[in-house]
Amino acid sequence: MSSHVSPALANLRILDLTRVRAGPTCCRVFADFGADVIKIEAPPGVDPNEGMSGARDGSDMLNLHRNKRSITLNLKTPAGLEVFKRLVATADVVVENFRPDVKERLGIAYEDLKAVNPRIILASISGFGQSGPYRTRAGFDQIAQGMGGLMWVTGLPGQGPVRAGIAVADTSAGLYAAIGILVALAERERSGEGQWVQSSLLQAQIAMMDFQAARYLVEGVVPQQAGNDHPYSTPMGVVRTADGFINIAVGGQGQWKAFCVAIGRPELTDDPRYATLDLRFKNRPSLNTLLADIFATRASQAWLEALEKAGVPAGPIYKMDDVFADPQVQHLGIATSVQGDDGKEVTLVGQPIGLSRTPAQFKALLPEAGADNDAVLGELGFDASAIEGLRKEHVI
């Protein structure tokens, strides 16, 4: 991919105070689309949780923090706070994922920032929300997965709660925060004023439950574990083949008829046990047993070809190396390379958003902490002597 910066959001400056995953996920959206994202980190030895996000040159940090500049700033010092407020005066958005009380203690709550720059948008991502009885609790993805209902619908029936294999709550909270920022930016075009955007892991996880949550709220149904089967549609899920596993997804009656023909059992179309979606769901155990015997007779690829020919949705179940070897995945270009300062290319996960004129671009890997101190402070009007003074005072 080109090392040029996307012009899409090049007019924006984002101050990134975040760490771990939810906040960096939010800021990554803006960085990939060309915003000037300044990652603000504590100088060495200041943050008691230093290194919590893993090795700086590790895959996770590189993937989360590409396309950003980095400065170090001790916000616990008056001079550091003053530098930060001078940055706020030049910025459009501040993103933070401290516990809610921390920004109040530091003097960087929304009202503090608004007093410096009425157009500023503060995006706060927390574990449980900015108010309420749990506001000061530390939040982590798996805690939110459990409290948001995901772990109780994941896994095999009777297995007990199972976490998802990815950070669903973290990632979705970051993406929801990015959406909120974009809404606030659009609204600011009319009002001229910023506002406070809030997202939390708990809210995001509940929102991601979507139809499962709605089933309870509207119908009073408490969803249970369904394993690899769809919660209420059958046959839709995982089947074992002669050499592995595939996913099948049979929707309406037309697909059911085509499916029965494709598997060589056209008589099942009108079988009184399976003639309608409701009957298939009611009799899912017997249908699953019947299909298990059928699909065990042929290899995965043979079944996938037969089902595709019949117009029945089906797909392989990949490990990660298989994912990036797939021709469609390669065509989509979501594995995107960027060249480091040492000339070596690193391949990361690209944005799953396509824009026809101003697509996301990768321009740089995460720099060393504070690599852009001189440049950013120079933009604020600090001369070399003043910068050196801040360095001696351990402000940067």
Side-chain angles (χ1 to χ4, degrees), residues 294-308:
I294 294 171
F295 277 92
T297 63
R298 301 173 70 184
S300 295
Q301 190 58 37
W303 282 121
L304 291 172
E305 290 172 0
L307 293 170
E308 182 177 358

Side-chain angles (χ1 to χ4, degrees), residues 27-44:
C27 294
R28 179 174 61 188
V29 174
F30 295 90
D32 285 356
F33 284 100
D36 177 21
V37 178
I38 302 173
K39 178 174 170 53
I40 301 173
E41 309 176 65

Side-chain angles (χ1 to χ4, degrees), residues 229 234-250 255-256 258-265 268 286-308 310 312-317:
D229 289 318
T234 295
M236 190 174 293
V238 175
V239 290
R240 182 189 288 270
T241 67
D243 65 346
F245 301 89
I246 64 171
N247 273 317
I248 59 172
V250 181
Q255 283 187 2
W256 170 243
F259 174 76
C260 292
V261 172
I263 65 173
R265 297 294 298 274
L268 289 176
S286 65
L287 179 56
N288 280 349
T289 299
L290 187 156
L291 293 179
D293 291 338
I294 294 171
F295 277 92
T297 63
R298 301 173 70 184
S300 295
Q301 190 58 37
W303 282 121
L304 291 172
E305 290 172 0
L307 293 170
E308 182 177 358
V312 177
I317 300 174

Side-chain angles (χ1 to χ4, degrees), residues 44 47 87 132 145 178 191 221 281 283 287 307 337 379-380:
D47 184 354
L87 267 173
Q145 284 193 32
S191 68
V221 175
F281 183 71
N283 296 302
L287 179 56
L307 293 170
S337 297
E379 292 165 12
L380 295 178

